């Protein structure tokens, strides 16, 4: 049987090149189709990554830890103690690039002209700088200096609404630990430029200053953490939950459902594209292979007359498709890899940035070579291609051996 | 004399009802080991149809065909393939060879289907080519050979698997008379030297001149069967 297989392979390979024009057309169809799938996939992933990065790096992180009731009802009663030794150890593991403990509670900000509801975030600037992009987005003044800094950092849009500015004073109000309302004047030390939603939602001050303001000791309300490698996230969540079973540990998917929905939609889009491209490829493959088979019906009749079983004829013709589509897949993979390599410097979308408002900040996309999709998609195309080519092959297997005797001229 | 092929009451009808064509009617025929038989008759008399029955390419509408002791009734397409592979060699009128394979590879192909190991395959293929005096053309593709050379390769291929019988349907129809004569002489020599059984369907008087047994067909019936 191995000898037979060898001769089948040789025969199939040579037959594949008998009509170079047709072979070339099929190769182009398969390789262009696979190229478009692989490139589109890399592009979408890069797009998703950049919008995810922009959103998550702003403030959310890869996940957060709160007291159990905090997410439903964030207030001075749903704060928690700073992380104990066990949780700290879990947070210090190498998979977690940074973590930051915050005190984020709803309150009110007031200028001479306006009063607005806001979330007052007491942060540690040192850890915050490693987790959040807001410290780097200061456009006027400075970021906070330390946990005791009692200056306040506002978003540009908030400052405009309040008609206040750098060096001016604003009043923050919030319920304190004693059940009364604290009210205190803070100096605006810096303005940050993020998206409008974040600018309107948060003001920042030093964490210890915030705790004093609200008559707290060391209590915090959230720990945000960054896990750079997506694959590490689930194990990290599991470990954190084990380390702090009484707390509420959530991933960004639970914290930003919009982003999570976009993420799974993007993954859906690539499979829709795969289906579209594959249908077109299938038509091309079936067409060319049927032509190739009908041209050679006499020859298949001869092979049957010589004693080849219908199954072996089917195998031989399938082997041809296997080579043809396989070579097409290899070419498509090479082209896609080259394209992605060529674009490693990034695709600058700033020209279209106006139309891409949902992509916050991420205007340069970095398509990445992703081994898994370079295995899965070509394999899928290859197998599906061989599957549809079974139809022409079965037509060849039905060639009658009597045909070899008749119509000989 | 032992029978290589026996046909008992073999009839073949093509098509149905009004369009039915009675190609063979009640054929009784035994092919003996060592026969060098010609099958002649006017066009449409059923020569090709009968050769198809003898060679297990097709099955009769009624009656029985036995090849080398094996009755063909109720065999599947795959089982008939096996019978052809091991017991029958074919030489057709034209397009006998696989175009993408060289002369030697065409011959080896049958041996590979039989599962003969590589080294033996090559040696037997080259010997078969030598038998038909074509050892020099082993690596030529069919398109690079003359019609007569192609037919000789087909003869070599038919013989290489040591079949019980070799069937040839109008093997000389596309050849000039000199080449035809050479091909027939070659088959006759192989019959004489090896005792290989041949049945040759033909119109060619030159072919009939060599035959040791002459079977005449008319309207799907045997109209004569005698020593040539
Ligand atoms: N597949 C088929 N379908 C219908 N009729 C057929 C088929 N094969 C053969 N016939 C008919 O059967 C009869 C015998 O045909 P066959 O080919 O055996 O004759 P032949 O003696 O070989 O003729 P020729 O000398 O022209 O090759 C003819 O009438 C032919 O038309
Ligand atoms: Mg005929």
């Amino acid at each position: 049987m191995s000898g037979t297989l060898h001769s089948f392979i040789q025969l199939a390979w040579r037959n594949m090149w008998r009509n170079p024009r047709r072979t070339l057309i099929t190769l182009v169809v398969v390789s262009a189709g696979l190229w478009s799938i692989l490139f589109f996939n890399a592009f979408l992933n890069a797009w998703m990554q950049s919008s995810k990065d922009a959103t998550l790096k702003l403030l959310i992180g890869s996940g957060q830890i709160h007291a159990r009731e905090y997410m439903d009802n964030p207030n001075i009663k749903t704060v928690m103690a700073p992380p104990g030794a066990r949780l700290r150890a879990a947070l210090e593991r190498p998979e977690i690039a940074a973590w930051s403990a915050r005190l984020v509670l709803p309150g009110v900000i007031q200028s001479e002209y306006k009063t607005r509801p806001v979330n007052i975030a007491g942060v540690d600037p040192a850890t915050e700088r490693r987790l959040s992009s807001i410290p780097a987005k200061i456009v006027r003044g400075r970021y906070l200096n330390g946990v005791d800094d009692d200056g306040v950092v506002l978003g540009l849009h908030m400052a405009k609404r309040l008609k206040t500015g750098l060096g001016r004073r604003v009043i923050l109000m919030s319920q304190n630990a004693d059940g009364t309302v604290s009210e205190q004047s803070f100096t605006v030390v810096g303005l940050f430029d993020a998206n409008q939603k974040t600018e309107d939602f948060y003001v920042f001050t030093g964490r210890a200053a915030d705790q004093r303001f609200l008559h707290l000791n060391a209590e915090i309300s959230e720990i945000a953490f960054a896990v750079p490698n997506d694959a590490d996230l689930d194990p990290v969540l599991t470990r954190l939950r084990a380390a702090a079973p009484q707390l509420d540990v959530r991933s960004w998917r639970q914290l930003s459902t919009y982003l999570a929905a976009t993420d799974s939609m993007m993954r859906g889009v690539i499979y829709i594209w795969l289906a579209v491209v594959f249908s077109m490829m299938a038509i091309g493959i079936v067409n060319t292979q049927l032509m190739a088979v009908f041209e050679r019906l006499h020859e298949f009749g001869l092979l049957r007359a010589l004693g080849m079983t219908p199954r072996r004829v089917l195998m031989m013709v399938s082997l041809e498709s296997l080579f043809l589509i396989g070579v097409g897949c290899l070419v498509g993979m090479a082209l896609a890899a080259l394209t992605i390599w060529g674009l490693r410097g990034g695709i600058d979308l700033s020209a279209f940035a106006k139309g891409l408002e949902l992509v916050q900040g991420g205007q340069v996309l970095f398509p990445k070579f992703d081994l898994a999709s370079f295995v899965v998609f070509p394999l899928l195309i290859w197998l599906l291609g061989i599957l549809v080519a079974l139809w022409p092959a079965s037509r060849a297997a039905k060639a009658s051996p009597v045909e070899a005797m008749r119509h000989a001229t | 004399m032992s029978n290589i092929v026996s046909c008992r009451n073999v009839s073949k009808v093509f098509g149905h009802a009004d369009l039915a064509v009675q190609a063979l009617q009640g054929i009784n025929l035994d092919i003996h080991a060592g026969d060098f038989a010609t099958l002649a008759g006017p066009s449409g008399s059923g020569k090709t149809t009968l050769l198809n029955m003898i060679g297990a390419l097709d099955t009769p509408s009624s009656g029985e065909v036995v090849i080398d002791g094996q009755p063909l009734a109720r065999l599947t397409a795959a089982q008939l393939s096996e019978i052809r592979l091991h017991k029958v060699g074919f030489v057709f009128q034209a397009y006998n060879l696989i175009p993408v394979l060289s002369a030697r590879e065409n011959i080896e192909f049958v041996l590979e289907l039989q599962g003969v190991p590589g080294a033996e395959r090559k040696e037997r293929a080259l010997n078969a080519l030598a038998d038909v005096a074509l050892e020099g053309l082993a690596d030529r593709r069919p398109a690079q050979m003359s019609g007569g050379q192609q037919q000789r390769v087909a003869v070599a291929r038919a013989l290489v698997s040591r079949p019980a019988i070799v069937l040839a349907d109008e093997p000389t129809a596309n050849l000039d008379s000199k080449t035809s004569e050479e091909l027939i002489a070659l088959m006759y020599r192989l019959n004489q030297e090896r005792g290989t059984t041949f049945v040759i369907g033909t119109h060619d008087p030159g072919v009939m001149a060599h035959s040791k047994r002459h079977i005449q067909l008319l309207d799907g019936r045997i109209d004569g069967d005698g020593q040539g």
Side-chain angles (χ1 to χ4, degrees):
Chain A
M1 193 64 207
S2 71
T4 315
L5 198 65
H6 172 260
S7 87
F8 281 15
I9 289 170
Q10 185 180 52
L11 194 55
W13 180 256
R14 289 187 193 169
N15 276 331
M16 182 179 135
W17 296 104
R18 260 163 95 168
N19 191 328
R21 212 176 87 100
R22 193 160 51 213
T23 298
L24 226 62
I25 290 172
T26 313
L27 285 181
V28 167
V29 166
V30 172
S31 56
L34 182 60
W35 173 85
S36 83
I37 289 166
L38 288 174
F39 176 67
F40 192 44
N41 181 58
F43 182 84
L44 276 185
N45 278 341
W47 187 9
M48 194 55 221
Q49 193 62 47
S50 103
S51 68
K52 207 166 95 182
D53 278 359
T55 308
L56 299 185
K57 279 189 184 148
L58 201 57
L59 208 55
I60 297 175
S62 307
Q64 296 183 352
I65 305 171
H66 303 98
R68 284 228 178 264
E69 307 79 18
Y70 178 85
M71 289 303 281
D72 293 331
N73 188 11
N75 66 47
I76 194 79
K77 302 249 160 55
T78 54
V79 293
M80 59 187 179
R86 255 183 90 196
L87 182 53
R88 218 167 243 286
L91 285 165
E92 294 296 345
R93 288 186 56 101
E95 296 88 351
I96 298 182
W99 61 276
S100 188
R102 300 167 179 152
L103 178 63
V104 183
L105 289 170
V108 165
I109 184 166
Q110 198 173 44
S111 71
E112 300 96 310
Y113 308 97
K114 280 243 160 72
T115 306
R116 310 252 347 137
V118 79
N119 288 294
I120 303 163
V123 296
D124 176 351
T127 55
E128 204 64 15
R129 277 182 196 283
R130 296 201 286 138
L131 186 101
S132 159
S133 58
I134 288 180
K137 290 181 184 292
I138 299 291
V139 287
R140 311 261 294 280
R142 61 167 177 83
Y143 193 62
L144 302 161
N145 283 332
V147 287
D148 289 312
D149 193 335
D150 59 359
V152 68
V153 171
L154 308 184
L156 277 178
H157 193 254
M158 174 66 92
K160 211 168 105 191
R161 280 194 168 182
L162 295 173
K163 296 188 183 153
T164 186
L166 211 58
R168 309 263 291 273
R169 298 184 77 80
V170 290
I171 294 172
L172 297 182
M173 283 182 271
S174 183
Q175 196 188 24
N176 63 37
D178 305 328
T180 60
V181 172
S182 289
E183 183 178 331
Q184 189 182 311
S185 170
F186 289 76
T187 305
V188 178
V189 296
L191 299 177
F192 69 91
D193 178 12
N195 57 49
Q196 188 180 321
K197 195 173 148 217
T198 309
E199 289 177 16
D200 284 351
F201 237 64
Y202 295 99
V203 299
F204 298 91
T205 187
R207 190 176 64 213
D210 195 14
Q211 283 159 341
R212 280 195 301 274
F213 166 53
L214 297 178
H215 306 175
L216 291 168
N217 296 317
E219 289 89 344
I220 55 170
S221 71
E222 83 181 23
I223 298 167
F225 52 89
V227 179
N229 189 346
D230 252 345
D232 293 337
L233 185 55
D234 281 332
V236 162
L237 291 170
T238 310
R239 261 199 297 275
L240 289 174
R241 282 182 187 126
Q246 77 287 3
L247 296 178
D248 179 12
V249 180
R250 297 192 180 195
S251 79
W252 62 270
R253 287 177 191 280
Q254 295 160 293
L255 295 164
S256 175
T257 45
Y258 169 76
L259 200 61
T262 319
D263 189 53
S264 56
M265 190 192 77
M266 292 281 199
R267 277 171 221 286
V269 164
I270 190 66
Y271 282 97
I272 292 170
W273 182 243
L274 182 83
V276 169
V277 168
F278 184 75
S279 319
M280 297 193 307
M281 274 165 53
I283 293 169
I285 291 168
V286 167
N287 249 311
T288 49
Q289 290 303 90
L290 267 184
M291 270 197 281
V293 163
F294 278 122
E295 260 179 28
R296 282 156 50 204
L297 270 187
H298 174 84
E299 203 173 301
F300 296 124
L302 172 68
L303 293 174
R304 294 277 291 103
L306 292 181
M308 216 163 157
T309 58
R311 246 187 56 205
R312 282 183 165 183
V313 174
L314 184 101
M315 256 177 65
M316 196 191 78
V317 180
S318 295
L319 216 57
E320 266 177 60
S321 316
L322 186 145
F323 284 144
L324 191 57
I325 300 164
V327 171
C329 281
L330 288 177
V331 173
M333 283 163 80
L335 289 178
L338 267 175
T339 311
I340 291 168
W341 182 77
L343 291 170
R344 69 197 179 287
I347 308 170
D348 193 350
L349 290 183
S350 48
F352 312 99
K354 282 272 180 286
L356 288 172
E357 272 302 318
L358 84 155
V359 185
Q360 299 149 356
Q363 288 166 9
V364 180
L365 304 186
F366 294 93
K368 271 203 300 265
F369 178 84
D370 162 36
L371 189 65
S373 49
F374 268 73
V375 172
V376 171
F377 290 123
L379 220 60
L380 214 61
I381 294 283
W382 198 42
L383 292 177
L384 287 173
I386 292 166
L387 216 63
V388 297
L390 276 181
W391 175 27
S394 72
R395 190 61 196 76
K398 283 192 201 109
S400 155
V402 176
E403 293 299 314
M405 279 271 195
R406 284 168 57 85
H407 313 304
T409 38
Chain B
M1 255 189 293
S2 63
N3 287 343
I4 300 291
V5 179
S6 304
C7 298
R8 288 288 158 266
N9 260 320
V10 167
S11 295
K12 182 70 180 180
V13 183
F14 290 109
H16 302 280
D18 295 351
L19 295 172
V21 176
Q22 183 85 37
L24 296 175
Q25 301 185 46
I27 299 279
N28 284 295
L29 180 68
D30 290 318
I31 306 293
H32 315 294
D35 267 356
F36 192 83
T38 49
L39 190 58
S43 184
S45 58
K47 303 183 292 292
T48 299
T49 308
L50 182 55
L51 283 171
N52 287 347
M53 301 295 144
I54 296 174
L57 286 172
D58 206 352
T59 47
S61 306
S62 64
E64 188 188 44
V65 178
V66 178
I67 299 179
D68 206 19
Q70 166 77 59
L72 299 192
R74 286 187 296 279
L75 292 189
T76 63
Q79 289 169 322
L80 289 174
S81 303
E82 284 295 302
I83 302 250
R84 292 194 295 271
L85 178 60
H86 292 282
K87 298 192 187 296
V88 190
F90 290 98
V91 181
F92 303 118
Q93 181 176 338
Y95 307 117
N96 263 296
L97 306 178
I98 300 163
V100 293
L101 298 184
S102 70
R104 177 172 62 81
E105 288 164 345
N106 259 286
I107 296 169
E108 277 195 46
F109 188 76
V110 180
L111 296 177
E112 292 190 43
L113 287 180
Q114 288 187 339
V116 175
E120 182 189 341
R121 225 160 48 208
K122 185 168 180 186
E123 190 192 321
R124 278 171 67 179
L126 289 174
N127 285 342
L129 275 171
D131 287 341
V132 298
L134 282 181
E135 51 272 67
L137 303 188
D139 294 324
R140 292 233 188 139
R141 297 267 179 107
Q144 301 165 314
M145 291 185 281
S146 72
Q149 288 166 341
Q150 290 182 41
Q151 291 304 76
R152 273 148 68 192
V153 174
V155 170
R157 180 187 60 197
L159 284 163
V160 78
S161 57
R162 297 170 190 145
I165 186 167
V166 174
L167 302 176
D169 194 14
E170 321 244 11
T172 62
N174 289 357
L175 305 178
D176 60 57
S177 57
K178 181 168 169 285
T179 318
S180 296
E181 176 56 34
E182 283 168 9
L183 186 73
I184 285 305
L186 167 69
M187 292 198 276
Y188 187 71
R189 176 171 61 79
L190 292 167
N191 169 260
Q192 294 295 305
E193 291 174 0
R194 314 264 176 92
T196 311
T197 310
F198 280 86
V199 179
I200 305 165
T202 188
H203 291 289
D204 188 342
V207 176
M208 291 179 232
H210 282 277
S211 76
K212 297 195 288 189
R213 178 181 174 190
H214 183 80
I215 303 159
Q216 185 73 27
L217 278 184
L218 186 65
D219 295 335
R221 294 174 203 277
I222 291 181
D223 192 41
D225 183 354
Q227 302 305 310

